Amino acid sequence: MVDVDEASLAAVGQWPWPRYRLAAMIDTLAKSGPRSILVDFFFPEPDRTSLSTIQNAFQREFGLDLMFEGVPESMMDNDAYLGHVLARARSAGAFLFLESPVADTPACCTPVISVQGDVALLNPFRFQGMLCSIEQIQAGLTTSGFINVRKDPDGILRRIPVLAKYQGRWHPNMSLAALISSYPRASLEISRDFWGPRLHLSDLRIPVDTRAQVMLRFAKNLDMLPVISAVDILGQRFDPEIVKDKIVLIGSSASGLGDLHHTAVDSNLPGSAAHAVLLENILSGSHYRQPQWEQSYAVITTLISSGTVIGAFVMTGLIPAVMLTCVSLALFPVLSIIGFGVFNVFLPAAAPFTSGLLLLIFMSLSFYAVEKQLAENRAKRLTLFKQSMLELMVELAEFRDLETGEHIKRTQVLVKVLAQGLADGKRYPGLNEYYIELMYLCAPLHDVGKIAVPDRILCKPGPLDPEEFAQMQKHVTNGARIIKELARKIKGEEILTLGLEMVSTHHEKWDGTGYPGRLSGEEIPLSGRIMALADVYDALTSERVYKKKMPHEKAKEIILNGSGTHFDPAVVQAFLDKEKTILRLLNEYNCSETKTAEQ
């Protein structure tokens, strides 16, 4: 590539240069024996620095006939001189197709090529106008071709059209025109292979899409293509061997000339460099291509990837489905890699991979949501089953002794109120709503051991003798044994852990004189201390077979006297704080029980 770069413009002058200077550069290159010279410029107007042009201007404007002595006739017209040099240099020039006709433009003598084969495979771009060099220059060109490019919708140049139609006839682009001129006896034919249409020119195979475009492969040898500054050609500061038997492209990377394109590898690639890549790809067979059936492939692979994801989730569980889907989705990038590496073919992987991945995420989240809901339902059923088991144990105690059953229900209410009183008083920071609700659920278990007490003792209408009282005390250890056995079989249940505390310690006393462990003070779990007060208060204010019920004030007096000996003073204070609530709730409960009995 010969580059009219910024350094050349700074040394020689701004563009456009006088045509004789461009001719001198082409003549110097031609003497080095290139295969052909491609000039990526066209000149639709005469050179204003030509002596003949100046003569005509003075004659037209002032009626003066200027004469120049000592100037050869061939140097009077720069355009004719450039055309003469181009004719000797075996050169290819450029012209530009236009979307619509342009009036007052000179007729272009451009080559028309014969295209044979299955021409119906291609639907090339069609143009209505043309802009080319003036006649003196155009006539000196061995061949010429269009330099139009089409960028993708994202503004990136990835393809170059090599054929187009103008006035119903086929025209090549500049690079293809140069290659055709190198094979004067070869015809250009269109055929199809597995991937899609392609052009045949002698031993060259040029894959194209249906718009007759070639997909460029920029990265392979772009950096290896030698570039010589135009100022070095003019100064003959280059090695002629670099040019010999090579295709030479003359173009510009100067920003002022506006022939720069945004590509995947360079944001400012000169147009001549794009043509160089095109020629290198064609001659080496290293170009990329997209299958003609690319869209069908994308649709089919997307359906396959989606079906694989759905099938994996239907046929297997979550983890196997995710693993199977990941393996299947990896297949599409692998196919693309193989296509690139072996066939230089671009097989789209984004659509099937993305759709499969999104569906995988959706199915995984859906599967997780369903499993989570099922797990929650199973947990609820299990919790209900466990609670029902506990309630069944309590109902067994109620069945044996109705008074015990009523006692259980009242103490459950008392425990919750007392615990709330402690929480309101900020005496125990860890006493939250969850713990209070747990104690409420556990409270009915505190007398479950009475199921093992003989009826003659449990239902005796009078006071118990020492032996009978000792048997009654065993309901604590019996209840603890029942709860421990449940906890051993159902591990990790907080309700059984807390229930065991209540069962084991609700007859312990603050001063250490209780049973069965003679614990004292805060050695007694909080749940046991709360249960102890609730148990005694309900026993005092309830009627039993062996005694009459006691008024609230008398029971309150006994509770206060037991503060610091029988009961935890903090729990007693909570009792006093919630006294009105206790009375209201118990009255409501008693009224409810009375109505039930009447019914």
Side-chain angles (χ1 to χ4, degrees), residues 107-175:
C108 297
C109 183
T110 57
V112 176
I113 60 173
S114 174
V115 179
Q116 301 177 8
D118 195 354
V119 295
L121 291 175
L122 300 184
N123 179 28
F125 296 107
R126 289 170 168 79
F127 298 95
Q128 302 298 319
M130 181 186 292
L131 196 60
C132 61
S133 297
I134 61 175
E135 183 179 357
Q136 296 95 316
I137 298 175
Q138 192 71 27
L141 295 170
T142 303
T143 186
S144 61
F146 63 87
I147 55 174
N148 301 67
V149 297
R150 290 283 178 141
K151 296 181 179 179
D152 287 349
D154 58 1
I156 295 179
L157 177 65
R158 296 185 179 91
R159 302 167 180 82
I160 289 183
V162 293
L163 287 174
K165 276 197 169 183
Y166 175 66
Q167 295 181 345
R169 296 182 294 179
W170 294 90
H171 291 264
N173 81 342
M174 183 178 66
S175 299

Side-chain angles (χ1 to χ4, degrees), residues 245-258:
D245 295 326
K246 300 295 192 302
I247 298 175
V248 178
L249 291 101
I250 302 175
S252 176
S253 64
S255 58
L257 273 68

Side-chain angles (χ1 to χ4, degrees), residues 233-252:
I233 301 294
L234 291 170
Q236 298 188 7
R237 297 186 296 272
F238 70 101
D239 183 1
E241 291 298 320
I242 298 178
V243 176
K244 187 176 181 179
D245 295 326
K246 300 295 192 302
I247 298 175
V248 178
L249 291 101
I250 302 175
S252 176

Side-chain angles (χ1 to χ4, degrees), residues 242-506:
I242 298 178
V243 176
K244 187 176 181 179
D245 295 326
K246 300 295 192 302
I247 298 175
V248 178
L249 291 101
I250 302 175
S252 176
S253 64
S255 58
L257 273 68
D259 190 25
L260 301 177
H261 305 279
H262 187 78
T263 70
V265 297
D266 192 339
S267 59
N268 292 292
L269 186 76
S272 57
H275 282 282
V277 172
L278 173 62
L279 284 167
E280 191 280 328
N281 288 173
I282 292 174
L283 293 172
S284 66
S286 60
H287 31 58
Y288 286 135
R289 66 187 304 190
Q290 289 177 286
Q292 186 178 5
W293 33 263
E294 176 189 9
Q295 292 184 349
S296 299
Y297 174 84
V299 171
I300 292 172
T301 52
T302 298
L303 293 175
I304 290 174
S305 67
S306 301
T308 301
V309 174
I310 295 173
F313 275 90
V314 171
M315 301 298 293
T316 65
L318 176 61
I319 301 301
V322 171
M323 294 177 63
L324 179 61
T325 301
C326 290
V327 171
S328 62
L329 291 183
L331 176 64
F332 301 107
V334 169
L335 289 176
S336 291
I337 293 171
I338 294 174
F340 267 88
V342 178
F343 303 104
N344 290 338
V345 174
F346 175 75
L347 295 175
F353 184 82
T354 303
S355 62
L357 182 61
L358 292 176
L359 188 58
L360 171 63
I361 294 172
F362 173 77
M363 293 292 289
S364 298
L365 293 176
S366 300
F367 193 94
Y368 172 76
V370 171
E371 286 296 313
K372 182 180 179 182
Q373 185 63 45
L374 291 174
E376 289 177 354
N377 291 340
R378 286 193 293 267
K380 288 179 181 178
R381 289 196 298 269
L382 182 59
T383 301
L384 181 61
F385 173 72
K386 293 173 182 177
Q387 183 64 29
S388 299
M389 280 179 32
L390 298 179
E391 290 175 359
L392 178 61
M393 293 169 60
V394 172
E395 287 177 2
L396 288 173
E398 292 181 9
F399 179 76
R400 301 232 13 250
D401 179 9
L402 183 60
E403 290 179 355
T404 299
E406 302 300 335
H407 167 71
I408 286 171
K409 295 174 183 177
R410 289 192 296 270
T411 52
Q412 187 179 30
V413 175
L414 286 168
V415 164
K416 188 171 186 177
V417 174
L418 291 173
Q420 192 62 57
L422 286 173
D424 293 345
K426 309 296 183 184
R427 297 178 182 88
Y428 294 94
L431 194 60
N432 53 32
E433 290 295 328
Y434 175 74
Y435 191 74
I436 293 172
E437 186 64 23
L438 202 59
M439 281 197 292
Y440 174 78
L441 295 174
C442 292
L445 293 173
H446 77 280
D447 274 341
V448 71
K450 287 185 177 180
I451 196 172
V453 177
D455 288 343
R456 62 181 177 79
I457 298 175
L458 191 63
C459 301
K460 184 177 180 179
L464 301 178
D465 60 33
E467 182 182 351
E468 292 171 337
F469 186 70
Q471 285 288 329
M472 179 63 79
Q473 286 182 325
K474 289 182 180 180
H475 82 277
V476 175
T477 54
N478 290 334
R481 187 174 67 255
I482 293 171
I483 300 300
K484 285 179 181 178
E485 184 63 21
L486 275 176
R488 186 181 65 82
K489 295 179 180 179
I490 308 175
K491 298 183 182 300
E493 286 296 322
E494 292 179 295
I495 192 170
L496 294 178
T497 303
L498 192 59
L500 181 60
E501 287 184 358
M502 283 188 166
V503 170
S504 302
T505 63
H506 72 281

Side-chain angles (χ1 to χ4, degrees), residues 11-34:
V12 178
Q14 293 301 307
W15 193 264
W17 289 345
R19 306 280 160 82
Y20 63 80
R21 183 161 288 132
L22 186 60
M25 183 173 65
I26 294 172
D27 191 48
T28 301
L29 289 168
K31 291 175 181 178
S32 301

